[in-house]
Amino acid sequence: MRTSASGRAGQYAALLAYLVFLAFPFLWLVSTAFKSPRELGSLHPTWIPRDPTLDNFRQAFDEQPLLRAAGNSLLAALTAAVIAVMIATPLAYVMARHRTRLANAATGWVVVSQAFPLVLVIIPLFLVLKNLRLVNSLAGLVLVYVVWALPFALWMLVGYVRAVPAELEEAAAVDGAGRLRTLVSVTAPLLAPGIAATALFAFITAWNEFFFALVLLKTAEKQTLPVVLTHFIGAEGVADLGPLAAAAFLATLPSLVVFAIIQRRITGGLVAGAVKS
C-alpha cells in the first residue's frame, strides 16, 4: 500500500517537528554559552548571539576545575561501561540460549530493578560501601554504576542474542567448530552492534549520573562533572548562566563523540551481520 503525497508530507512534517523538539534544549544551550552577560540579561533574547564571546568558557575554567572533574567522569564512565558489557555479554548468552526457571527469574529481576527509585536504595547502598571502605572513591562509584547499568544492559543483550539464529551455531558445530570457536567466529561478530549499543548506554548513563556521585563523593578532587556543574549555582539558587551554559555545553561533547564513534560500529555491524546471515 503506497502512501499518498499528502500523507508522506505529513510524516516528514511530524519528523521535522520531533527533531526540532529534541534539538531545542541543545541549541538553546549553545546559544547561551556564546552570549555576553549584557545579552543574557536582555528582555528580548535572540537565538543567534549578536556579539559572540568566549568569555563564558574562560570564566567557567577559571571558577571550577572542569578538566579534573571531566577526567573523573571519563574514568568512571569508561570503566563502568567496559565492566558492565564484559559481565552482561556471557550472562545474556546463557539466558537467551538456555531458557530455564533461573533465566526467567533473572529476567523478572531485570524488570523489577528498574522500578526502584534512587532514593529508596541510597541509604543501604551508602552503608554497604562504607563497610567496604569504598565511600569517597571512584572505585566505589564505578561499582555502583556497574550494578545500576547491569540489569538494563543484560536485558538489551538478551534481545540481541535471541535475534541471532541458533541454526548458525548448529551449522558451525556440524562443520567441526568447538563451542569457543563458534562463539568467537560466528556469534560475536553478529552481536557487535548490540555490544556497541549496550556500551554506549552504560557510558552515557554513568557520564550523566548525578545523584550517586553527589552522595558518595565528598572531596572536591574526586567529584565528577555533573556535580561540579552545580557549583555555578549560588547559595540563593541564582545561576551564573553564561559560565554554566558553557560548562554544560562542554560536558555534552564527550557523549556526542562516543555516540558518533560507536554509531559507525553499530551500522557496520548490522551490515556485516546481514551479510553473514
Side-chain angles (χ1 to χ4, degrees), residues 135-222:
V135 174
N136 194 34
S137 70
L138 290 178
L141 188 65
V142 168
L143 179 61
V144 172
Y145 287 167
V146 170
V147 173
W148 194 253
L150 191 57
F152 193 78
L154 185 60
W155 178 77
M156 287 181 63
L157 285 173
V158 166
Y160 278 99
V161 174
R162 287 177 178 172
V164 177
E167 290 78 6
L168 295 177
E169 299 177 1
E170 295 173 359
V174 171
D175 291 338
R179 172 65 65 178
L180 181 60
R181 178 66 182 276
T182 301
L183 293 177
V184 173
S185 301
V186 177
T187 309
L190 298 177
L191 287 180
I195 294 175
T198 304
L200 177 63
F201 159 78
F203 175 84
I204 293 180
T205 299
W207 176 267
N208 294 328
E209 200 282 322
F210 169 75
F211 187 64
F212 287 135
L214 177 66
V215 175
L216 299 177
L217 301 178
K218 300 301 181 182
T219 58
E221 293 77 13
K222 297 179 180 179

Side-chain angles (χ1 to χ4, degrees), residues 11-277:
Q11 292 175 355
Y12 286 134
L15 179 60
L16 179 61
Y18 183 65
L19 292 176
V20 171
F21 173 77
L22 292 179
F24 172 78
F26 182 73
L27 295 177
W28 180 86
L29 181 67
V30 175
S31 175
T32 304
F34 290 95
K35 288 182 178 180
S36 63
R38 180 179 179 181
E39 192 172 355
L40 288 174
S42 174
L43 297 177
H44 304 285
T46 59
W47 274 99
I48 301 177
R50 300 187 186 94
D51 187 19
T53 178
L54 295 176
D55 290 342
N56 292 326
F57 293 90
R58 299 190 188 97
Q59 186 176 348
F61 280 101
D62 290 340
E63 291 182 1
Q64 301 296 335
L66 296 180
L67 290 179
R68 183 180 64 199
N72 292 338
S73 291
L74 187 62
L75 177 61
L78 282 177
T79 306
V82 171
I83 295 176
V85 168
M86 290 178 63
I87 296 176
T89 301
L91 289 178
Y93 181 82
V94 173
M95 290 175 59
R97 290 291 185 255
H98 305 281
R99 300 187 182 184
T100 62
R101 291 183 179 180
L102 181 60
N104 294 332
T107 304
W109 165 71
V110 169
V111 176
V112 172
S113 65
Q114 300 302 305
F116 282 98
L118 299 182
V119 179
L120 201 64
V121 301
I122 190 61
I123 294 179
L125 180 62
F126 181 87
L127 294 177
V128 169
L129 292 179
K130 183 179 179 181
N131 292 332
L132 295 176
R133 297 182 180 180
L134 291 176
V135 174
N136 194 34
S137 70
L138 290 178
L141 188 65
V142 168
L143 179 61
V144 172
Y145 287 167
V146 170
V147 173
W148 194 253
L150 191 57
F152 193 78
L154 185 60
W155 178 77
M156 287 181 63
L157 285 173
V158 166
Y160 278 99
V161 174
R162 287 177 178 172
V164 177
E167 290 78 6
L168 295 177
E169 299 177 1
E170 295 173 359
V174 171
D175 291 338
R179 172 65 65 178
L180 181 60
R181 178 66 182 276
T182 301
L183 293 177
V184 173
S185 301
V186 177
T187 309
L190 298 177
L191 287 180
I195 294 175
T198 304
L200 177 63
F201 159 78
F203 175 84
I204 293 180
T205 299
W207 176 267
N208 294 328
E209 200 282 322
F210 169 75
F211 187 64
F212 287 135
L214 177 66
V215 175
L216 299 177
L217 301 178
K218 300 301 181 182
T219 58
E221 293 77 13
K222 297 179 180 179
Q223 288 180 338
T224 57
L225 194 55
V227 177
V228 172
L229 290 180
T230 63
H231 298 170
F232 290 101
I233 301 177
E236 298 180 356
V238 179
D240 198 356
L241 192 56
L244 175 59
F249 169 66
L250 294 176
T252 61
L253 293 182
S255 296
L256 295 177
V257 171
V258 171
F259 176 79
I261 295 174
I262 294 184
Q263 186 269 342
R264 295 182 179 181
R265 299 278 184 177
I266 294 175
T267 305
L270 288 173
V271 175
V275 174
K276 290 177 182 294
S277 298

